[in-house]
Amino acid sequence: MTKEGFQSKKEDAEDVGPLKDRGCTDVICILIFIVFLGGMAVLAYFAFTLGNPWRLLNGYDSFGNTCGMANTKPEGVTSQYAGRDLTDYPYLMYFDPTAMMPTSISSLANFGETTSIEMTMLLCVKACPSETMFYYEGWTQGLRLNKLHELKQSGYDYCQYDFWTDNPLVDTYYAANTGVGVSVTYQDGSYITKTGAGGPCPEFLIQSVSLLNRCLPLPDQLVSAASDAAQDAAETAASNVEDALKELFQTNVTASEVMQYAMSDVMNSYREIAVMCGASLVISFIIILLLGWIAQIMIYAIAIAAAIACIAGPAYFWYVWYKAKEELEAAAVQMESQISNVETLMIYAIIVSVVCLVVLILIIFLRSRVGLMVTLFKEAGFMVMRMIVILFTPLILSLFILAWAAVWSFVSGYIYTSGTATEYTLTREYENDPQPSYADIKMVYYKDHEYILYVWLYHLFGLYWGTEFFLACHEMAIAGAFAQFYWTRVKSKVSFPVARGIWWVFRYHLGTVAFGSCIIAIIQLIRTILAYIQNKTKDSQSEVVKYLLYCLQCCLWCFEKCMKFINRNAYIYTAIKGCNFCSSMKKVFGLLMSNIVRVGVINCVGSFILFIGKFLVVMVTGILGYFMMNADADLYYWAVPVLIAAIFAFAVAHTFFSVYEIGIDTIFICFAEDETKNDGTPGREYYMSKNLMQWVDNSSEALKNLKRKKGQQRAQAKAAKSGGGDVEMTEQ
């Protein structure tokens, strides 16, 4: 044996344990992965050369100009409006803002037209419209031009670039006749297209807010404007949409007000959200530590606490709802926010009741199956306490994945905007005879390259492969750390297990990690392509085809889950034995099949116990948030910030408990391998602890042999110490 207590290759032929002098595995796979990353780098280089992500971030108008920037005219483009300096025009406005809305609302706002919008001009503006301009009666007169001129006089021009400069007579007329709004010579029908929204001036304006540098119309303004403009059936449809929005938000306030109040509550309660997020970290860490110190008590305590929470939680929610309902009924004036909070409390109470009932049933039926899990948790807890730094490895993993996602997204912005500037001529139709210069107009759009689909597939596969690669590295490193403790008889001799586990991965097994992660990435890419096909053909599919595609998607999802389970155990076996991916998968599959009942119990009961821990963290965080925010009179919808903190709490709990999950799986694989290769007899003693020995068939005999061996070791040590003293006296 080596000084750390691990086996060499020679000793491994007779015994079992982690290889000290292990070699590189699946080298060809890591070379392929490196070549693949090189291909992504080449694509990124060309994307940086051709793309401009500011077009994606700021948006660009109908002439290829990026809003909020000084532009240069693209090569081969002759449009007079291309290459403008739009530094002072940071917002992108749609002449027909309903192009950003669902089809039903879009048709409604276009007076019930069923045909899709042929064209909507995009312009960069100084500010988004702050009011709604939507006329129907007499639209062929000068009502719109009059209003647009008033806005232009106020510094907000929503007509085509240089429109008023190129038409001085129109500008002079409306400057001299402010408020008249009717003109025989300069009518709306000569400057606003008959169909579509091709300009040069917009047919209507909708009050909007800026979101990601785009002018986003407010839903209630859009519906209200459409209701004012439409007639008969369209007016009825507008009313139905408005009622649907109110029903969706369970309130009589408008949808935009709900959004504004909710965002305002989040901003005003950022301190409370930060406290709840910090509390979730502390709660998760405390549960992890307690599981390590007193695993058995904590597992039963979690189950009991969860059972109590499942009874008390719904009861408390229904009590709070009842009291709030009583206060609302007794109030002389009922505020809309109070009504909404009562209804929200009832919804939350129903959801919590259903979830808690399911959890309580599971606790009752699985209470007799936690014996093995208690032992595994106890072993995992002991090991975690000896290497507490292992709890922070998920944070490092998160940083790597976030960095990879950030780089991928950064390059994606360039790929998405790497099209070639292409010019085309739009023929615009007007109700009246237009000015000759406004009949046809040259616009610019960016045409994708013909091979862009393959570029996206390659780039997307890189995202999947890279993400799964980091996850696999983390799993194998954690497994290596736990395996070192298991396969060392004298646990005090284990030094820097986490660092050694990471070293083993990056020094020897990156090829194995690349191999396994590539399999998962391929499955994910196939699922993505299938989902894309489903989305593109959803309106033309028969019911049979839809059913078959859903079944295929379900099968692929199940296959991905199975492969992730097998991959994780293969990584564990590689961390233990240093085998390549295929050998590890073959051997670990045999171990799992020979212990299929144990595997089922461990995965079901273990996952359930971990879920209870996560559930407890979220419940405590949510209850803490309720007590912190319910009494705050300045909040309209306190449930929104509580929900945000609860989601963060679940993410934190999942991250911390993932270490335990990998540890339990590792200990079980080690236990199964130990039971297969050893039998507890002299010379073939188990490496497992006394607690785990109770789960082997010859546990009593193995424990006797272990006790006998320890007695012999103590006697030998005593004799050696006594003999050493005699020798020293003789020399003197």
Side-chain angles (χ1 to χ4, degrees), residues 340-394:
S340 178
N341 279 335
V342 170
E343 294 176 349
T344 302
L345 276 173
M346 184 179 67
I347 294 173
Y348 279 16
I350 294 173
I351 294 174
V352 170
S353 298
V354 173
V355 173
C356 289
L357 179 62
V358 173
V359 173
L360 188 60
I361 293 173
L362 289 175
I363 291 175
I364 294 173
F365 280 96
L366 295 178
R367 67 187 186 280
S368 61
R369 298 296 186 93
V370 298
L372 178 59
M373 290 308 306
V374 167
T375 305
L376 291 174
F377 268 88
K378 188 178 295 184
E379 293 295 311
F382 166 76
M383 296 180 186
V384 167
M385 292 308 299
R386 295 293 302 271
M387 44 182 183
I388 197 69
V389 71
I390 202 171
L391 292 176
F392 299 96
T393 55

Side-chain angles (χ1 to χ4, degrees), residues 408-538:
W408 187 89
S409 301
F410 182 72
V411 176
S412 296
Y414 280 91
I415 294 176
Y416 186 81
T417 58
S418 61
T420 303
T422 304
E423 198 170 50
Y424 71 99
T425 301
L426 174 68
T427 300
R428 300 187 285 197
E429 297 181 2
Y430 299 86
E431 184 71 22
N432 301 335
D433 293 333
Q435 298 294 324
S437 59
Y438 294 128
D440 297 328
I441 186 171
K442 289 185 177 181
M443 293 186 174
V444 178
Y445 74 101
Y446 291 90
K447 183 179 181 181
D448 288 333
H449 297 283
E450 58 183 5
Y451 50 82
I452 191 65
L453 178 60
Y454 303 102
V455 171
W456 274 116
L457 288 176
Y458 190 93
H459 192 58
L460 182 62
F461 183 72
L463 173 66
Y464 292 153
W465 197 357
T467 303
E468 292 299 324
F469 180 84
F470 288 125
L471 291 171
C473 286
H474 178 253
E475 290 180 353
M476 187 179 289
I478 297 301
F482 278 97
Q484 291 171 58
F485 268 99
Y486 187 96
W487 296 106
T488 305
R489 299 192 189 278
V490 184
K491 310 303 182 185
S492 59
K493 291 184 177 181
V494 180
S495 58
F496 305 106
V498 178
R500 183 178 284 109
I502 296 173
W503 168 250
W504 282 351
V505 173
F506 284 90
R507 173 62 180 84
Y508 302 109
H509 304 308
L510 286 180
T512 300
V513 168
F515 194 172
S517 57
C518 182
I519 295 174
I520 303 299
I522 291 174
I523 299 173
Q524 291 175 341
L525 183 64
I526 295 174
R527 290 188 60 201
T528 303
I529 295 174
L530 182 61
Y532 177 80
I533 294 174
Q534 284 180 288
N535 182 65
K536 286 296 184 181
T537 61
K538 60 183 179 181

